[in-house]
């Protein structure tokens, strides 16, 4: 008998919102429920997309204009979906991804001034109707996110180096996406302690995707 198609969960938000931390805990919980889980990230997730990631995250802040960023992010995404995400879902695995199309809509569309609608159209050209089943948008005050990134030992990316007004525009774009697509998106207050954020994520995943 064919296995039921898996579910695709994405976690979005500004810098330092806690996506990586929460994805680790969510994946462990899902595995504890007997599900096979693939954890992945964007930009990246395949050999080719990781090469594009390196191009996108290193170098001067103005290395790429917003449209070049959008096209590179989307090129990496099409490779990621076709080689990793879609095959895993077809095999019945659950995929949890650190950032996806909403990041292009928020960063390049909102903060980069290309327009969220134009970036939605670009995602449609690249991916057709392919969408996450559930998207968590972790919302955090911009200064609090920057303080968390500053406190971390690892290096900063081209995006971390941008000013507070850029990150505020990203935050507003994510809030707008959550408002416009409440069936797919769940807005989470990422300023809460780590455990409280995770409990909200698990409760929401259970009620929306019936994990049991
Ligand atoms: N980008 C784009 O522009 N367009 C696109 O389409 C895509 C991406 C897909 C990828 O950067 C960059 O690419 C991203 C947007 C752009 N840049 N920005 N900004 P990345 O992958 O290197 O980094 P990131 O995605 O921004 O994640 P991050 O900054 O590394 O943060 P995070 O994953 O959200 O948070 P974390 O690593 O889990 O936590 C950060 C720290 O906070 C850490 O020390 C934790 O222990 C701490 N933490 C986490 N949760 C809490 C709570 N609740 N309380 C207190 N402290 C906490």
């Amino acid at each position: 008998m064919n296995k039921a198609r898996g579910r695709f969960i994405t976690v979005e938000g500004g810098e330092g919102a806690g996506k990586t931390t929460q994805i680790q805990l969510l994946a462990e919980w899902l595995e504890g429920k007997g599900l096979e889980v693939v954890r992945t990230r964007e930009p990246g997730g395949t050999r080719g997309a990781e090469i594009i990631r390196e191009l996108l995250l290193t170098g001067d802040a103005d290395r790429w204009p917003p449209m070049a960023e959008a096209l590179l992010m989307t090129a990496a995404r099409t490779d990621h979906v076709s080689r990793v995400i879609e095959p895993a879902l077809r095999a019945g695995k659950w995929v949890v991804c650190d950032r996806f199309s909403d990041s292009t809509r928020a960063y390049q569309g909102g903060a980069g001034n290309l327009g969220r609608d134009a970036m939605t159209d670009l995602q449609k050209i690249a991916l057709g109707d392919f969408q996450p089943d559930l998207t968590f948008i972790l919302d955090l005050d911009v200064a609090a996110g920057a303080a968390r990134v500053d406190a971390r030992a690892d290096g900063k990316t081209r995006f971390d180096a941008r000013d507070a007004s850029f990150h505020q525009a990203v935050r507003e774009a994510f809030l707008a996406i959550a408002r416009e697509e409440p069936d797919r998106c769940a807005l989470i207050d990422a300023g809460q302690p780590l455990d409280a954020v995770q409990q909200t994520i698990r409760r929401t995943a259970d009620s929306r995707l019936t994990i049991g």
Side-chain angles (χ1 to χ4, degrees):
M1 200 174 72
N2 282 343
K3 247 183 153 180
R5 184 178 166 85
R7 311 305 289 268
F8 181 35
I9 300 174
T10 58
V11 181
E12 299 273 10
E15 60 166 4
K19 298 174 297 299
T20 312
T21 310
Q22 296 299 333
I23 282 172
Q24 164 83 26
L25 297 169
L26 175 63
E28 284 167 11
W29 179 70
L30 292 170
E31 281 161 357
K33 300 279 182 189
L35 296 166
E36 219 177 320
V37 180
V38 173
R39 254 195 305 151
T40 188
R41 68 169 181 187
E42 288 210 348
T46 64
R47 204 162 70 87
E50 290 290 333
I51 293 169
I52 296 176
R53 177 185 177 89
E54 180 70 16
L55 290 174
L56 278 161
L57 298 197
T58 60
D60 294 340
D62 62 357
R63 181 179 189 183
W64 305 105
M67 183 54 87
E69 276 179 10
L71 294 170
L72 286 167
M73 295 285 181
T74 307
R77 183 164 303 127
T78 55
D79 194 53
H80 190 204
V81 169
S82 67
R83 291 182 198 273
V84 171
I85 300 176
E86 184 58 43
L89 296 172
R90 272 203 306 272
K93 297 174 187 168
W94 285 46
V95 178
V96 186
C97 188
D98 194 333
R99 298 190 180 280
F100 195 65
S101 293
D102 293 317
S103 281
T104 308
R105 296 164 76 199
Y107 280 81
Q108 285 67 47
N113 287 322
L114 296 177
R116 279 191 294 115
D117 288 348
M119 292 302 99
T120 302
D121 290 346
L122 177 61
Q123 301 313 296
K124 229 178 158 53
I125 291 166
L127 305 175
D129 290 331
F130 185 83
Q131 283 266 44
D133 295 295
L134 175 60
T135 296
F136 290 105
I137 295 184
L138 304 192
D139 179 54
L140 183 65
D141 172 73
V142 166
R148 287 185 190 174
V149 171
D150 280 346
R152 228 176 22 195
D154 54 358
K156 291 196 169 197
T157 70
R158 284 178 57 241
F159 293 91
D160 295 325
R162 294 192 180 159
D163 65 16
S165 67
F166 178 89
H167 290 289
Q168 185 59 35
V170 168
R171 183 184 189 194
E172 282 161 20
F174 275 129
L175 289 171
I177 292 168
R179 264 196 316 275
E180 287 161 14
E181 295 183 62
D183 290 344
R184 176 175 64 86
C185 300
L187 185 65
I188 308 285
D189 174 4
Q192 304 173 86
L194 213 145
D195 287 352
V197 175
Q198 182 60 203
Q199 288 316 315
T200 311
I201 286 177
R202 289 180 184 182
R203 256 198 323 276
T204 308
D206 201 15
S207 73
R208 298 216 188 177
L209 302 178
T210 326
I211 291 155

